Amino acid sequence: MTNPLYDRLFGRHAGRDTTFLILPDGTRMTHGAFLDRAGRFANALFGLGLKTGDRVAVQIDKSADALAVYAACARTGLVFLPLNTAYTAAEVDYFVSNSGAGLLIAAPSKAEALRSVANRYHARLETLDDAGGGSLSAIAAGQSPDFDTVDRDLNDLAAILYTSGTTGRSKGAMLSQGNLISNAEVLRDHWRFTADDVLLHALPIFHTHGLFVGTNISLLAGGAMIFLPKLDVDALIKWMPQATAMMGVPTFYTRLLDDPRLDHALTATMRLFVSGSAPLLADTHRQFFDRTGHRILERYGMTETNMNTSNPYDGDRRPGTVGTALPGVEAKVCGPDGTELPRGEVGILEVRGRNVFKGYWQMPEKTREELREDGFFITGDLATMGEDGYVTIVGRGKDLVISGGYNVYPKEVEEAIDALPGVLESAVIGVPHPDLGEAPMAVVVPQKGAHLSADAILAGIAPSLARFKQPRRIEIVEALPRNTMGKVQKAQLRAQYKDSFQ
Ligand code: MLC
Ligand code: AMP
């Protein structure tokens, strides 16, 4: 029996007493103990009546058990569907309905709000918390750690990760076992991860960066992770002397730079700092080098593709660039019809390789719009490529705000605002933000005679939109700037409000 994802990432560590997780209280969990836990969860999931191929939606806090559920899904061939813990019940409703999930695993604190969602779509609801409690944990406790791993192959679906769309609803990116393994193998080698590495892990595990990049690479290499619940600079500083590597979004680096304790001595054991998910300012890169002697390695990826390009481990880590295409990945800068442009010209970046996803869950048209027949995926990012293959991301062809590494689609926020009483129309834009890189802001036009306030608008959208999507600033204006075609001039708004958070 073979199951490439489970065997290569997890199964080969069975019985090993090597450290896998170092938890915030200092407790160490061995690879063997973790896999025992995952085996119990695998039995628990099948015991609930789930079958290979069923989707398991999880909205739970980061913990060893949360990761064990991921391992259990790989082992049973269930499709893992992690959800941002910030999503509201209204947002989760869509993901459960669209995916047809058979099970929703929620934090106990959210169970009440999510029970009606689960009932509506005939999904089971179980709970799991970050302290080893919850109904699923109780079921797992009574199970055997042994489980007959389900046969799978590289084309089988391993996970669905939802990414918002520039128009309409979120799309579920289908990632196969092969997508995940091939990318993790390439990154392990490219970034030289070994069993001696200890990764300082403070990213969430419901997105590509923390789950498929950080965790999968550590598992493949057989190293350990210092597994922190979230970004907390004091905790990073406390644990850094025991780590060898860290991965973060740019906010990790700007917050560390704000702390006077960041210096050469603090980072003496570290061999690698990786940044991605949002643009790292060249200035942040330089300041970090001046303070620590480390050159942050910036790479570029997406939910649909995992990682596409990376600066080199040895050689020139160029500030402001995302490096060259990874081994096995083809990248080209193209015009709208997919024709490659001469080097140095700005166009849309397209990528192809074993890392590229299988399409959007039950959305064949959306898949066709973004995934060409020849296998190239249209990223929607505006880029240039130098003669030496270095890629620079210069902007986005898609209307998207990236706030602290989370994607916010203006269209979704505008629809929520426009649905409120007294609103005529709105435009949501990304504005430079010193901590989050970019933050969403809304410019809102009231209906004639209506009185709107920023507070009322925020209160109105709060039940339906996760907090990180909510505008950090709201301006009420008489009209939106439009061009002769009647299209809202977002570039003009961005220029007008660019200093809002500076
Ligand atoms: C939290 N908040 C945010 C936010 N995160 N607001 C906007 N943008 C964000 N990213 C809000 C909370 O709702 C709360 O609001 C307040 O900020 C403080 O919450 P917190 O939990 O204390 O936030 P903090 O710890 O400061 O988190 C900021 C952060 C975090 C940047 C560290 O968001 C984070 O870890 N981001 C990483 C995202 C990530 O992993 N992206 C990878 C996607 S994969 P209030 O009002 O209630 O106080 C991908 C592909 C690739 O993109 O290439 O990797
Ligand atoms: P997501 O859909 O959450 O996976 O976000 C993917 C998007 O994040 C990409 O399309 C880029 O716009 C952006 N992104 C990821 N890494 C980088 C980077 N290093 N520099 C600039 N943008 C990035």
Side-chain angles (χ1 to χ4, degrees):
M1 298 264 260
T2 60
N3 177 325
L5 186 68
Y6 185 77
D7 298 344
R8 291 191 218 171
L9 258 57
F10 303 99
R12 68 197 180 83
H13 301 302
R16 287 195 187 160
D17 62 2
T18 42
T19 300
F20 173 43
L21 296 177
I22 302 167
L23 300 168
D25 65 358
T27 319
R28 284 169 183 256
M29 186 180 238
T30 64
H31 283 96
F34 173 77
L35 288 175
D36 275 5
R37 195 84 189 124
R40 291 178 206 276
F41 277 115
N43 280 307
L45 293 174
F46 267 12
L48 292 173
L50 294 163
K51 294 182 302 299
T52 296
D54 286 350
R55 276 75 59 210
V56 175
V58 301
Q59 194 190 32
I60 50 180
D61 291 318
K62 185 175 172 183
S63 70
D65 271 357
L67 219 48
V69 171
Y70 167 48
C73 285
R75 194 166 193 184
T76 49
L78 289 163
V79 179
F80 189 61
L81 198 166
L83 295 170
N84 193 324
T85 46
Y87 288 146
T88 62
E91 288 164 319
V92 174
D93 185 295
Y94 170 76
F95 300 125
V96 173
S97 137
N98 184 263
S99 67
L103 171 66
L104 171 60
I105 309 176
S109 58
K110 296 241 176 97
E112 178 85 18
L114 291 176
R115 188 160 304 282
S116 59
V117 173
N119 288 345
R120 194 167 306 131
Y121 305 109
H122 312 291
R124 280 193 74 108
L125 178 76
E126 299 295 341
T127 60
L128 193 62
D129 69 21
D130 55 357
S135 62
L136 189 64
S137 185
I139 299 170
Q143 305 291 321
S144 159
D146 301 323
F147 182 86
D148 282 337
T149 304
V150 172
D151 243 349
R152 300 268 82 191
D153 69 37
L154 290 172
N155 283 318
D156 283 319
L157 203 52
I160 297 179
L161 263 61
Y162 275 84
T163 81
S164 303
T166 38
T167 53
R169 303 309 303 256
S170 294
K171 301 164 288 186
M174 299 189 287
L175 295 152
S176 68
Q177 289 212 347
N179 294 147
L180 302 184
I181 293 173
S182 63
N183 208 237
E185 284 176 347
V186 164
L187 294 172
R188 174 199 57 193
D189 298 343
H190 208 71
W191 297 342
R192 311 269 173 87
F193 271 82
T194 71
D196 293 332
D197 272 305
V198 179
L199 179 70
L200 191 49
H201 193 304
L203 283 163
I205 53 166
F206 43 72
H207 278 315
T208 298
H209 198 163
L211 186 64
F212 299 143
V213 185
T215 304
N216 283 1
I217 296 177
S218 292
L219 280 161
L220 261 185
M225 295 195 284
I226 299 171
F227 211 53
L228 304 176
K230 61 185 293 229
L231 172 56
D232 167 358
V233 170
D234 285 338
L236 286 190
I237 286 175
K238 173 183 161 195
W239 286 103
M240 201 169 286
Q242 296 188 44
T244 63
M246 187 184 89
M247 295 176 192
V249 298
T251 303
F252 279 46
Y253 296 102
T254 50
R255 286 197 191 168
L256 275 170
L257 280 166
D258 280 343
D259 195 298
R261 291 171 291 178
L262 179 79
D263 60 13
H264 278 71
L266 181 76
T267 58
T269 60
M270 297 291 285
R271 66 170 188 86
L272 181 63
F273 288 93
V274 177
S275 176
S277 310
L280 181 78
L281 294 178
D283 196 42
T284 307
H285 187 283
R286 291 192 193 98
Q287 282 184 41
F288 202 83
F289 178 68
D290 290 345
R291 286 272 288 283
T292 66
H294 289 279
R295 293 187 194 281
I296 299 170
L297 185 156
E298 185 170 9
R299 77 349 172 241
Y300 158 83
M302 288 185 79
T303 300
E304 288 93 333
T305 61
N306 287 329
M307 299 305 102
N308 296 307
T309 72
S310 169
N311 270 281
Y313 190 81
D314 295 319
D316 195 6
R317 295 185 195 166
R318 246 176 250 169
T321 80
V322 293
T324 56
L326 283 162
V329 179
E330 294 168 78
K332 56 182 186 176
V333 173
C334 299
D337 62 353
T339 314
E340 189 167 359
L341 298 175
R343 295 286 165 111
E345 282 190 22
V346 175
I348 298 280
L349 189 65
E350 300 197 9
V351 295
R352 178 165 73 179
R354 285 190 297 158
N355 54 314
V356 174
F357 76 145
K358 289 168 68 99
Y360 295 113
W361 174 257
Q362 292 183 341
M363 289 186 184
E365 292 99 64
K366 294 268 178 219
T367 303
R368 271 194 298 276
E369 279 168 24
E370 296 181 37
L371 192 56
R372 295 188 190 279
E373 267 175 21
D374 62 4
F376 272 96
F377 176 68
I378 306 166
T379 64
D381 288 307
L382 293 171
T384 62
M385 189 184 284
E387 291 297 340
D388 53 6
Y390 273 69
V391 174
T392 305
I393 306 290
V394 297
R396 290 175 208 130
K398 50 198 173 189
D399 194 12
L400 162 69
V401 180
I402 304 185
S403 169
Y406 287 154
N407 288 4
V408 181
Y409 279 88
K411 175 100 179 143
E412 186 185 6
V413 185
E414 287 160 6
E415 280 175 1
I417 295 176
D418 293 352
L420 298 176
V423 174
L424 182 66
E425 61 175 352
S426 63
V428 170
I429 50 170
V431 177
H433 189 281
D435 181 43
L436 299 167
E438 240 182 348
M441 120 159 227
V443 186
V444 183
V445 182
Q447 281 168 356
K448 220 177 161 98
H451 289 285
L452 283 179
S453 73
D455 285 349
I457 292 172
L458 278 179
I461 59 175
S464 57
L465 284 185
R467 174 74 186 104
F468 70 86
K469 298 178 186 170
Q470 297 170 22
R472 293 275 167 146
R473 176 178 169 189
I474 297 179
E475 278 296 304
I476 315 280
V477 299
E478 278 179 14
L480 296 175
R482 291 183 186 278
N483 65 12
T484 46
M485 308 289 287
K487 195 168 167 345
V488 175
Q489 298 293 81
K490 286 202 170 178
Q492 188 176 324
L493 289 174
R494 278 186 214 106
Q496 186 176 344
Y497 293 107
K498 70 178 183 351
D499 297 324
S500 291
F501 301 112
Q502 303 297 342

